[in-house]
Amino acid sequence: MRLIDDFFFIEAEQSAGEEHICRIRLNPAHTIYAVHFPCNPITPGVCIVQMATEIIERKTGGRLILSAANNIKFVKPITPEDKPVFVFSKLSCDGRQLRVMVKVTDGSEDIFAKLSLRYDKQ
């Protein structure tokens, strides 16, 4: 299930050196928030990982398969009203594998999540 342009929308993107920064807007009317959790919606962790994957695919121009999640830390819940900023760094490609560090922030110092992911290229 693709989440881009339904569950979330990209508002701005920029690349600076080895970093790729992507500001997104969440869709508070999406069905996922009706069930996770009613009256207190938060973004499921699996959706955060999927959003990161779809943004990386957009950046690299190809389909990716998540092969390892070496370290994932959810520090603070993301609500539909938040405008998370995904900061990708240390994108390194070793043949058919792509390694990436992802930090999800509120645009300042507050961190929602940190992810260390490895993908296989299709």
Side-chain angles (χ1 to χ4, degrees), residues 32-106:
I32 289 173
Y33 288 121
V35 296
H36 199 271
F37 297 96
C39 302
N40 188 24
I42 62 169
T43 306
V46 69
C47 290
I48 296 168
V49 174
Q50 181 64 26
M51 287 188 289
T53 300
E54 291 181 26
I55 294 166
I56 294 166
E57 286 178 336
R58 179 179 158 113
K59 168 80 174 147
T60 61
R63 297 281 294 164
L64 301 170
I65 305 241
L66 182 64
S67 58
N70 297 328
N71 194 5
I72 296 180
K73 292 182 182 175
F74 299 110
V75 180
K76 178 179 157 185
I78 299 175
T79 69
E81 291 79 31
D82 292 322
K83 292 199 176 197
V85 176
F86 283 72
V87 179
F88 301 92
S89 58
K90 299 183 182 174
L91 258 74
S92 63
C93 190
D94 179 14
R96 294 187 48 87
Q97 284 200 332
L98 177 69
R99 290 180 175 87
V100 63
M101 301 293 294
V102 183
K103 182 171 59 171
V104 185
T105 74
D106 67 353

